[in-house]
Amino acid sequence: MNGGALAVEVAGLTKRFSAKRRGRQWLTPWRRLPPIEALRGVDLAVDKGELVVLLGPNGAGKTTLLKVISTLVRPSAGRAMVLGRDVTRFGPEARRNIGYVLAEERSFYWRLSCRDNLRFFGVLEGLPARAALARADELGSLLGLTELMGRDFGSLSTGQRQRMAIARGLISDPPVILFDEATRSLDPGRSERLRRIIRKVLVERENKAVIFATHDLEEARVLADRVVLMRDGRVAAEGSYADLEAQIGSAFREESSGEEAEFRRLFPDLEVSL
Ligand SMILES: Nc1ncnc2c1ncn2[C@@H]1O[C@H](COP(=O)(O)OP(=O)(O)OP(=O)(O)O)[C@@H](O)[C@H]1O
Ligand SMILES: [Mg+2]
């Protein structure tokens, strides 16, 4: 079904969050805060077997975009399609087709073992119990979790939890996988191996569509077939890392130029960068 459709297609996607005033709200109740425009008309198309890196400074809208695609956030306007189906109308189907590795992982059961956690999520996504267990163990060994499978999730280190989150995102073998800063708390060897798993196994061998959000330039350079540079809720540029290098550099420098000026004002003697 939907064999010819793009894996992910996003058109005119807009997301406004209403800003809530906290604290002394009762003093100025008539002054409404303007909404936060996290996404302002984003277009994006990702094919099967393609690895797209969403690159952009803090607050550019990367996480919001991934959350809309994975049905965790409803768009204000525009649409997101997964394998040709609108995610707001076919939520359960979209969720079955998507594996999502979140930046902040909060869904595991802390008092259950790692194995039981993964088996539970596998069953939740429709795998028979036996297959879920086999898949949990297979991913566990791929991600270096074998020794930890019998331990409570709550006892794991930050990087070990992150590897569990990656295993969970892959448990049902979905055709579309979204990674939000997936290597953030991994050590260098494991980051490099995850990038290799993504590129060589998921994309090249299994023909999955992968969107990988990061603000790490080096990671974008080594990983991306195509970079989608986001700024202020928009796609600022799109192309190979090499083609966009100058634009990427200036996007990140300009983004924090105010903070840099303040640093120089406060510490004029420390101007030389490290
Ligand atoms: N639940 C929310 N309510 C209000 N504003 C939000 C909410 N989530 C995100 N935003 C705002 O939307 C904008 C985009 O945020 P988003 O998390 O998508 O950025 P990002 O590109 O993932 O940044 P980072 O690199 O820091 O993870 C930011 O200005 C953020 O403050
Ligand atoms: Mg983010």
Side-chain angles (χ1 to χ4, degrees):
M1 190 181 59
N2 304 324
L6 281 167
V8 177
E9 195 173 5
V10 165
L13 204 67
T14 299
K15 177 65 192 179
R16 281 178 227 100
F17 289 107
S18 59
K20 296 185 186 68
R21 193 189 286 280
R22 304 263 187 231
R24 296 180 172 205
Q25 189 173 13
W26 48 273
L27 282 176
T28 54
W30 60 90
R31 286 178 67 191
R32 301 268 304 270
L33 291 174
I36 297 157
E37 302 208 44
L39 299 174
R40 313 172 193 233
V42 170
D43 298 326
L44 176 71
V46 183
D47 214 344
K48 298 169 193 97
E50 205 182 8
L51 204 178
V52 167
V53 171
L54 272 189
L55 181 63
N58 295 149
K62 306 180 295 294
T63 297
T64 306
L65 177 55
L66 296 186
K67 284 187 174 170
V68 172
I69 296 169
S70 56
T71 76
L72 296 176
V73 164
R74 278 186 81 86
S76 309
R79 59 177 193 175
M81 318 262 278
V82 169
L83 298 172
R85 301 272 235 167
D86 191 318
V87 301
T88 58
R89 291 176 51 213
F90 298 94
E93 188 177 328
R95 284 189 287 279
R96 264 200 307 282
N97 283 324
I98 292 175
Y100 185 18
V101 181
L102 292 153
E104 296 146 38
E105 189 41 67
R106 298 206 191 130
S107 53
F108 286 107
Y109 294 88
W110 281 42
R111 303 223 194 149
L112 282 185
S113 72
C114 291
R115 181 177 286 112
D116 285 344
N117 263 293
L118 290 178
R119 181 167 54 172
F120 169 75
F121 285 111
V123 170
L124 207 61
E125 301 208 11
L127 295 182
R130 199 184 268 268
L133 190 60
R135 180 79 177 146
D137 284 336
E138 180 189 316
L139 286 168
S141 88
L142 182 67
L143 295 165
L145 295 164
T146 302
E147 311 286 304
L148 308 171
M149 287 304 248
R151 268 174 53 184
D152 289 3
F153 179 81
S155 73
L156 301 187
S157 77
T158 312
Q160 291 166 343
R161 284 180 195 169
Q162 178 62 16
R163 271 139 61 205
M164 281 289 291
I166 295 162
R168 202 200 58 188
L170 301 177
I171 194 100
S172 66
D173 203 17
V176 176
I177 310 175
L178 314 177
F179 290 97
D180 197 357
E181 294 179 33
T183 55
R184 188 169 56 173
S185 44
L186 301 187
D187 62 54
R190 293 189 165 103
S191 297
E192 197 276 328
R193 188 161 332 104
L194 177 63
R195 288 193 287 266
R196 231 174 332 132
I197 290 170
I198 293 174
R199 145 103 13 237
K200 298 288 177 197
V201 182
L202 301 181
V203 176
E204 290 179 11
R205 185 161 301 174
E206 299 178 352
N207 205 36
K208 296 183 191 299
V210 172
I211 307 181
F212 188 101
T214 182
H215 44 240
D216 185 318
L217 303 187
E218 179 57 15
E219 185 154 81
R221 190 182 67 76
V222 299
L223 201 52
D225 286 328
R226 178 154 55 96
V227 173
V228 171
L229 178 63
M230 289 191 71
R231 265 188 96 177
D232 295 329
R234 293 195 175 88
V235 173
E238 199 172 337
S240 73
Y241 188 91
D243 287 346
L244 299 189
E245 195 152 19
Q247 278 180 78
I248 291 168
S250 64
F252 280 79
R253 269 193 310 278
E254 284 164 20
E255 181 69 24
S256 61
S257 60
E259 292 145 53
E260 179 64 19
E262 186 62 6
F263 174 81
R264 285 168 191 237
R265 192 182 69 77
L266 289 168
F267 306 105
D269 54 323
L270 298 179
E271 254 189 45
V272 185
S273 65
L274 293 179

